Amino acid sequence: MVSQQIQEKYAELALRTGVNLQKGQALMINSSLEGADFTKIVAKKAYELGAKDVHINWGDDDLTLWKYQYAPDEVLEDFPEWRVKLHDMYAEDGAAVLSIRSTNPDLLKDIDPTKVAKANKAAALAMTNFRKYTMNDKITWSIISIPTGDWAQKIFPDKSREDAIASLWEAIIKIVRVDQENPIKAWDEHNETLKAAREVLNEKNYKKLVFKAPGTDLEMELPEGHIWKGGSAVSEKGITFNPNMPTEEVFSMPHKYGVNGTVSSTKPLNYGGSLIDNFSLTFKDGKVVDFKAEQGEDTLKHLLETDEGASRLGEIALVPHESPVSQSGLLFYNTLFDENASCHVALGKAYPTNVEGGSAMNDEELDKAGVNDSLTHVDFMFGSEKLDIDGVKADGTTEAVFRNGTWALDMTSK
Ligand code: ZN
Ligand code: ZN
């Protein structure tokens, strides 16, 4: 088990560098009963840092599974209004939101994917207003993870439960830089590196990116006025925060009508408690026109059918293959980690902040600007040491952006 002192360091990092909790601010935490010890460390630290109120939404994998097994469909498809209200009230009050994720990736593998898809859609629809607060950076929010037994044993199947949890703690602590003397300073430096990288790409202002790897041959138009982001973000109130810990990506958005060709996954995708693996998608004018998956094809089909925008892309993220997450050599079956080991795209909603003036645009303006909208936003990984990316400028000149899975551009100078 990881020491109390390390857990306190991690909690402080999540509160300061993650959500950047301010004095007098409320904090809402989403966490699991299995992670109660760590969650209470976070809550106490939050009060010590001046939080006026800490509210925790407790979840539990067993309870979730039993609900799917025993509750009638109409209960699963009816997302309770009080839950929506709770989130909206904290958001309106300007609370920070910290999610501590640790779900078993196989939790719902034996549940009918149609049932899961319906419940997910109902929840997404109900939370539309709250999602605007996070996806437009109106409030500060952050996602971190801690190990739980089932998840840890999925990653380390040959180890005892206890050893698997210890090994996963060790991996996470290293990846989120909590093993370093001063993790907050380490993150400041890391954020500077990501800032330099996004500035290089913003300066380049590519019109199109071309991706080539085994099973992947994809042309992706980038919208006019697209913005590359990465590392820390700034909230509406001017508070710097880190939405994801870890994060190794710089990301922007594809034009919702400008994606053509085929992309093949390089890591399994854990979606709603089931795995989708070895899959490929073919796009025409931004829309998926063909797909196949060796595992979880039904789940993928339901994901694509969530709504019109679920079969279009809302994010392109570039991650060099030598990121600390890749270097761990582990497959996490958890997007927060796996997406930071690999270039990825997201099916579904784009972050409006990835285009100039996007946060202030109405639905029609967003569509015209090429910004995809959907109830869903699901990242999947297609990067590998074999991925090459070319950048095409407005005048047609082409240059190497990635070769063999890593930067071919000088990412340190502008
Ligand atoms: Zn991403
Ligand atoms: Zn994403």
Side-chain angles (χ1 to χ4, degrees), residues 315 339 344 346 351 377 379:
E315 177 188 336
E339 73 168 342
H344 56 272
Y351 289 92
H377 174 102
D379 291 8

Side-chain angles (χ1 to χ4, degrees), residues 8-46:
E8 280 177 18
K9 246 170 125 178
Y10 189 19
E12 187 169 352
L13 180 73
L15 292 169
R16 286 189 190 273
T17 304
V19 295
N20 195 356
L21 188 73
Q22 305 289 300
K23 276 205 169 63
Q25 194 182 15
L27 173 68
M28 180 158 72
I29 302 177
N30 300 304
S31 190
S32 63
L33 295 179
E34 205 181 327
D37 289 345
F38 177 73
T39 307
K40 284 171 73 174
I41 293 173
V42 176
K44 178 151 185 264
K45 190 129 281 191

Side-chain angles (χ1 to χ4, degrees), residues 26 50 60 75 109 137 183 213 280 303 313 340:
D60 179 83
V75 170
K109 69 175 191 329
D137 295 342
S280 66
L303 165 59
L313 296 181
N340 283 305

Side-chain angles (χ1 to χ4, degrees), residues 212-228:
K212 287 207 163 77
T216 293
D217 189 349
L218 192 75
E219 283 203 17
M220 176 186 293
E221 210 184 297
L222 302 173
E224 226 180 280
H226 69 270
I227 298 168
W228 288 92

